[in-house]
Amino acid sequence: MSILGNRVVRREDPKFLSVGGTYVADLDLPGALHLVFVRSSMAHARLASIDTSAAEAAPGVVAVFTHHDLGLAPMETVVGMTPEAMTQPILAAGTVRYVGEPIAALVAETREAAVDAAELVVVDYEPLAAVVDPRVARRDETILFPDAGTNTALTLDMGRDEAMFDGCEVRVQQVIVNQRVAPCPLEVRSAAAFVTPEGRVEFRSSTQAPHGVRDTLARALALEPDDVHVISPDVGGGFGAKATVYTEDIVVGWCARHLGRPVRWTETRSESMLGLGHGRGQVQTATIGGSRDGTITAFDLAVLQDCGAYPGMGTVLPFMTRTMVSGVYTIPKAECSFESVVTNTTPTTAYRGAGRPEAAAAIERMVDIFAAEIGMDPAEVRRRNLIASDAFPYTTPVGTVYDVGEYRRTLDIALDVAGYDELRTEQRRRRDAGDPRQLGVGLSCYVEITNGIPEGEYGSVEVRPDGTVVVRTGTSPHGQGHVTAWSMLVAEQLGVPIEDIEVIHGDTDVVPRGVGTFGSRSLQAGGNAVNQAAIDVVEKAKDIAADLFEAAREDIVLDKSRGVFHVVGTPALARGWAELATAAVAAGGNPLLAEVDLASPGPTFPFGTHLAVVEVDTETGHVTLVRHVAVDDAGRIVNPLLAEGQVHGGVAQGVAQALLEEVVYDGDGNPLTANLADYSFISAAELPSFETLFTETPTPVNPLGAKGIGESGTIGATPAVHNAVVDALAHLGVRHVDMPATPERVWNAIRDAAERKGA
Amino acid sequence: MRVTITVNGTVESHDVEPRTLLVHYLREAVGLTGTNVGCDTTSCGACTVLMGGESVKSCTVLAAQADGADVTTIEGLARPDGRLHPVQQAFREHHGLQCGFCTPGMVMAITSLLRENPAPTERDVRLGLEGNLCRCTGYHNIVAAALAASADPESRS
């Protein structure tokens, strides 16, 4: 019987539950110095002077460095697409452009000494006008980078087709703010470095991509990749924001080399809220057109992306928004253009979904607005426009090719499980009764792209002479459970118990190549690589078995129920993995090992339907999420326990964006949500238990038939909850409320609608 | 100043700065790194330990305040024979953890919650965990684990 598809509990857990994980801050580094950063308290200013003399003289301080001490080139541009004039210097060079930008690095014998002395660094600021809102930034009245001459970092102008809405009976436009949010992994950023006697940089990093850290750090410090050894130990969450290297990481490595002593750095949460990249940050102008029979015929999305102060990963995310712009619908004409602009705020980066939640939010909100405009049930409008199951592979108007889909099925299941008709009856009852607690039902039919990058992944499987198995993977899990899932894949192919399988990740010496864990790619790229390596190692073992049995190779069979090889027809004469691995070493000195560098199997397009039920207190504006039904299709599910866990986490983050969370700045660029007391991080008390279901439509794109499940939660849940809030208020004349739908926003929307009606 | 604290049944005595927080004392003086620091505003609960049998956020207790107290961390929760505490066991069975960073604090908070309220409703658990943040699980399986553990009479010990 196959182990795949079973709810195997995690092999990772006993350690975490009994003594806790080993995160970078937990590493024992004898003699390590502590690094803290002096950060800008102003959003935009020239640095007239930085006086470090008092800090340098303080007890325990080893050194204080500013930009010119380092002599390092600025951060690299993101995939070569953004202007050189906008690159971020390693420590501020003459100008600061956001609150929290590192200005000086202070190294001391203890953390306490470093924190105390950092207070003594005197920074003389000459304030400049700050630009906070991307809608203002695009006007180029205040320019962040004079050498660039503009605040626009990147544009994609597809040339708006004014005729695309010709002939539409109905055409509606809405500006939708997809607000800036904070990823908030529970573990903040942390790194440590020391130099070996041979001159090699040993680097420890809380990262999603240790090989990327190795290569980026080597380039930044003018070293060869082999001169750097990166280990990511246990990592306390990432959500995309730990997929890239930060300037602080490079300073840690530089300081360790310069000082010749181990250096460690762990930011505080208040620093992390300013320093770790933020997610989302789009202002969308969406236009939808169609006919009163419910047919949608045109959709246009103009995206204004907030890059923050230095264009990073956030700048290019609108490409992903464009890729998914028309969602699950057969819309004949659809287009998306974008402009990414810099502002005096924390740089934006990938955050769970990374451009796709923004796409789903736009189209799903607009479908509801369209439904309201023509007076049709939003479920019915969706049904009439879904791409049919027999239309795949399906090419969208922007050229995206969806692999496979059963969109109607997930919608039907969600409506059925939720009891949609009964919910509408109850909604009518409350409306008729003028109940202060109104009911809202929100739908989101989504499709997204996973494994969307061209890189493949490394995986290897080695059988040791004692019969145990070691798996090396280029993915870098930080909660996803790859040790368990990859063990299951290998156990399935080799017929060995998962307890005999060790999975190694996150060490760039032991795992020679790797890309990492982000973009819902791991199972498709890394899992398929490991699966292929397992298949290959079985084939190699058959060669050895053929020699040992003195039999024809094609007569050798693997009995997976016992984990032994034998000649067909003589199962009693069997040899186990240990014997074959021992024979392999004895024969040629080489271990029984198969390595695979899997080329990317290509992107897949998970889909599903989420349905949210909310209660809105119309007297206070308070929204309560009552139910959340998620029907997701990620193709073949290797371990439902892990897959559900991914959905749960993503849904919670989606609900958080819809109802609670927002990074807020005042007009001068001062952050107002720079710690977890002020930022509305969602808690258990604000959520119900979720109702999660899967349909399994395998993708033809990769051998496992698997699609990504890591990000569907934020993509599916956010618009469902958002739509539910507006739905609860529709009879009061409310057509749109921006996220997060806080009590204040909801209450104001009700009041404004009442005033419009009264006017 | 010198503080003497019984940590997981072992008497520990160390010189500390008066400003030393209990969490830093546990991690650095005693060397138990299972208790994590997730914020600096007493918001996240990653540092939750038991002091005198009740949950406290160890980032908001000075080591000096804990002088003479009995403190239990995640490392001290399992039974002497190595068996996991029912709350720990329920977390494993219900996939109540992913990255593991909030987990020690969550487990300690739930252990304390079940001592106060041995038969909580889902709502009780959710309100009781308001001060413990998790970014991975959406709390779904944490709540399930807490409710499952509450059915085990041993969870109160």
Side-chain angles (χ1 to χ4, degrees):
Chain A
M1 197 185 89
S2 173
I3 192 173
L4 302 185
N6 285 292
R7 303 174 71 84
V8 177
V9 297
R10 289 211 315 179
R11 304 181 60 210
E12 291 90 334
D13 290 356
K15 174 188 68 172
F16 287 112
L17 287 166
S18 54
V19 295
T22 304
Y23 306 94
V24 173
D26 299 337
L27 297 172
D28 188 21
L29 292 169
L33 299 170
H34 293 258
L35 172 60
V36 302
F37 290 93
V38 176
R39 296 177 181 278
S40 177
S41 59
M42 300 213 64
H44 197 194
R46 263 188 291 276
L47 298 174
S49 67
I50 308 166
D51 184 353
T52 61
S53 55
E56 282 165 8
V61 171
V62 174
V64 186
F65 302 110
T66 59
H67 174 74
H68 295 292
D69 298 318
L70 304 182
L72 294 171
M75 293 296 280
E76 299 164 347
T77 59
V78 177
V79 288
M81 285 184 158
T82 52
E84 290 285 344
M86 293 184 180
T87 51
Q88 182 171 12
I90 315 294
L91 300 179
T95 303
V96 286
R97 296 184 177 86
Y98 66 98
V99 172
E101 181 169 359
I103 293 175
L106 191 150
V107 185
E109 296 288 347
T110 65
R111 187 187 58 239
E112 290 78 6
V115 170
D116 287 349
E119 300 279 324
L120 303 175
V121 174
V122 180
V123 180
D124 187 9
Y125 299 95
E126 289 176 358
L128 298 166
V131 189
V132 179
D133 188 326
R135 287 166 285 201
V136 177
R138 81 189 306 183
R139 298 204 294 256
D140 281 342
E141 288 159 3
T142 297
I143 303 250
L144 269 67
F145 299 90
D147 289 348
T150 174
N151 289 327
T152 299
L154 187 66
T155 53
L156 182 73
D157 184 357
M158 299 312 296
R160 191 180 162 83
D161 175 12
E162 289 301 332
M164 73 189 288
F165 293 97
D166 286 358
C168 290
E169 283 181 295
V170 180
R171 172 182 173 165
V172 201
Q173 187 170 81
Q174 178 70 47
V175 175
I176 302 168
V177 176
N178 201 291
Q179 84 274 22
R180 178 186 280 251
V181 290
C184 292
L186 251 284
E187 184 205 16
V188 294
R189 293 179 298 168
S190 188
F194 60 97
V195 181
T196 67
E198 296 75 36
R200 204 154 179 250
V201 176
E202 291 287 338
F203 199 76
R204 307 291 176 263
S205 175
S206 178
T207 182
Q208 302 173 227
H211 294 83
V213 171
R214 177 192 64 187
D215 297 348
T216 305
L217 193 65
R219 286 195 299 273
L221 299 177
L223 299 168
E224 293 300 317
D226 282 350
D227 296 332
V228 179
H229 175 209
V230 176
I231 295 176
S232 61
D234 291 321
V235 173
F239 310 108
K242 289 183 184 169
T244 50
V245 174
Y246 288 86
T247 59
E248 289 94 334
D249 297 310
I250 292 167
V251 176
V252 171
W254 184 90
C255 285
R257 289 190 82 213
H258 185 78
L259 298 170
R261 289 183 61 182
V263 172
R264 70 191 315 160
W265 162 68
T266 301
E267 66 183 352
T268 64
R269 176 62 65 181
S270 295
E271 285 180 284
S272 192
M273 296 301 284
L274 307 174
L276 186 77
H278 293 159
R280 317 284 186 257
Q282 290 190 358
V283 181
Q284 306 172 326
T285 304
T287 315
I288 194 166
S291 46
R292 294 201 171 272
D293 67 1
T295 311
I296 302 167
T297 51
F299 182 65
D300 180 73
L301 187 64
V303 172
L304 180 61
Q305 172 72 48
D306 186 350
C307 308
Y310 297 95
M313 192 58 74
T315 310
V316 299
L317 295 181
F319 280 116
M320 301 296 270
T321 308
R322 179 174 187 273
T323 298
M324 301 313 304
V325 66
S326 54
V328 290
Y329 307 108
T330 50
I331 307 177
K333 296 176 191 166
E335 194 43 272
C336 174
S337 298
F338 70 81
E339 180 177 6
S340 299
V341 299
V342 290
T343 59
N344 291 114
T345 59
T346 295
T348 52
T349 193
Y351 171 54
R352 204 166 198 166
R356 296 104 78 201
E358 295 89 324
I363 184 72
E364 288 306 294
R365 191 75 271 287
M366 292 309 290
V367 167
D368 262 33
I369 287 176
F370 178 76
E373 188 72 20
I374 63 172
M376 189 177 282
D377 184 286
E380 182 57 26
V381 172
R382 284 176 171 78
R383 204 175 278 126
R384 291 185 183 199
N385 290 280
L386 289 176
I387 299 166
S389 303
D390 60 3
F392 294 91
Y394 180 86
T395 304
T396 74
V398 295
T400 309
V401 183
Y402 297 165
D403 53 348
V404 63
E406 291 269 2
Y407 300 161
R408 172 73 181 261
R409 187 163 168 233
T410 64
L411 174 61
D412 288 344
I413 292 171
L415 296 175
D416 184 49
V417 168
Y420 188 70
D421 293 339
E422 293 78 8
L423 287 167
R424 288 294 179 202
T425 302
E426 170 64 11
Q427 181 181 55
R428 268 195 302 278
R429 189 193 67 73
R430 293 199 196 187
R431 286 180 178 178
D432 293 345
D435 194 323
R437 292 188 70 80
Q438 287 293 319
L439 197 71
V441 184
L443 277 169
S444 161
C445 295
Y446 75 90
V447 58
E448 61 135 335
I449 178 171
T450 61
N451 192 34
I453 62 165
E455 285 82 5
E457 193 53 277
Y458 171 88
S460 75
V461 174
E462 178 181 344
V463 184
R464 297 189 183 107
D466 67 359
T468 62
V469 179
V470 58
V471 177
R472 298 176 185 86
T473 177
T475 62
S476 197
H478 38 284
Q480 292 83 353
H482 294 180
V483 170
T484 301
W486 288 195
S487 297
M488 291 169 70
L489 295 174
V490 172
E492 174 76 5
Q493 296 294 348
L494 270 58
V496 299
I498 60 170
E499 295 75 20
D500 288 351
I501 301 168
E502 178 189 3
V503 178
I504 299 177
H505 58 81
D507 183 321
T508 62
D509 273 7
V510 181
V511 182
R513 295 171 290 284
V515 179
T517 290
F518 48 86
S520 299
R521 68 185 297 277
S522 291
L523 180 58
Q524 299 169 78
N528 272 298
V530 165
N531 187 56
Q532 186 59 52
I535 291 168
D536 291 355
V537 92
V538 169
E539 293 306 310
K540 287 191 174 189
K542 284 182 177 174
D543 291 339
I544 299 164
D547 286 346
L548 291 179
F549 286 119
E550 296 180 354
R553 192 189 177 289
E554 56 271 26
D555 290 339
I556 304 294
V557 291
L558 167 61
D559 177 353
K560 290 183 182 176
S561 68
R562 295 186 291 155
V564 296
F565 292 82
H566 61 80
V567 179
V568 65
T570 55
L573 287 172
R575 290 181 187 264
W577 281 103
E579 289 172 88
L580 296 178
T582 303
V585 174
N590 292 321
L592 181 49
L593 163 71
E595 290 185 281
V596 169
D597 285 290
L598 188 80
S600 175
T604 61
F605 295 83
F607 59 88
T609 297
H610 284 216
L611 187 151
V613 183
V614 301
E615 275 186 356
V616 179
D617 185 328
T618 54
E619 291 171 349
T620 65
H622 185 263
V623 179
T624 305
L625 179 66
V626 181
R627 290 177 67 191
H628 191 89
V629 178
V631 185
D632 294 295
D633 193 311
R636 174 99 167 271
I637 302 289
V638 171
N639 184 334
L641 196 66
L642 300 180
E644 285 166 10
Q646 289 297 310
V647 172
H648 294 154
V651 167
Q653 283 166 301
V655 177
Q657 182 176 13
L659 298 181
L660 291 166
E661 296 185 14
E662 179 173 29
V663 171
V664 183
Y665 290 89
D666 73 10
D668 295 323
N670 297 303
L672 304 180
T673 50
N675 56 53
L676 291 188
D678 293 333
Y679 186 75
S680 304
F681 191 129
I682 198 162
S683 80
E686 289 139 345
L687 289 164
S689 288
F690 309 126
E691 299 160 62
T692 54
L693 298 97
F694 290 109
T695 60
E696 293 193 47
T697 311
T699 178
V701 169
N702 63 66
L704 289 173
K707 311 171 205 169
I709 191 63
E711 297 162 289
S712 61
T714 54
I715 294 161
T718 314
V721 177
H722 191 190
N723 280 339
V725 174
V726 181
D727 180 68
L729 309 175
H731 65 298
L732 302 174
V734 174
R735 195 169 81 170
H736 181 74
V737 182
D738 265 326
M739 300 188 294
T742 58
E744 181 187 5
R745 282 224 175 99
V746 170
W747 190 88
N748 278 322
I750 295 169
R751 186 200 56 186
D752 292 349
E755 283 179 1
R756 277 198 306 272
K757 273 188 175 173
Chain B
M1 63 181 297
R2 193 154 191 89
V3 296
T4 302
I5 303 172
T6 303
V7 181
N8 302 331
T10 304
V11 178
E12 298 275 351
S13 195
H14 299 270
D15 284 316
V16 297
E17 282 193 52
R19 64 174 165 175
T20 302
L21 300 172
L22 177 58
V23 66
H24 291 140
Y25 173 83
L26 292 169
R27 290 176 54 83
E28 289 156 25
V30 184
L32 294 174
T33 56
T35 305
N36 293 319
V37 178
C39 75
D40 45 14
T41 49
T42 320
S43 307
C44 80
C47 64
T48 304
V49 299
L50 303 183
M51 189 164 96
E54 288 195 7
S55 65
V56 294
K57 292 183 175 180
S58 62
C59 73
T60 316
V61 177
L62 294 166
Q65 289 175 285
D67 190 25
D70 208 328
V71 170
T72 307
T73 70
I74 189 73
E75 291 95 336
L77 194 61
R79 303 309 187 206
D81 63 5
R83 270 186 313 131
L84 293 179
H85 184 276
V87 174
Q88 292 170 310
Q89 190 59 37
F91 262 65
R92 177 143 200 237
E93 285 163 13
H94 292 269
H95 188 30
L97 65 154
Q98 291 182 30
C99 83
F101 199 84
C102 76
T103 308
M106 281 287 181
V107 168
M108 301 316 280
I110 291 168
T111 301
S112 179
L113 176 77
L114 295 182
R115 285 179 187 173
E116 282 176 35
N117 181 358
T121 63
E122 177 179 343
R123 193 74 203 136
D124 292 338
V125 171
R126 288 185 174 277
L127 289 173
L129 293 180
E130 198 167 12
N132 287 76
L133 300 178
C134 169
R135 202 57 158 176
C136 296
T137 66
Y139 307 100
H140 181 103
N141 285 338
I142 290 175
V143 173
L147 292 171
S150 73
D152 184 337
E154 273 196 56
S155 66
R156 268 87 84 185
S157 57

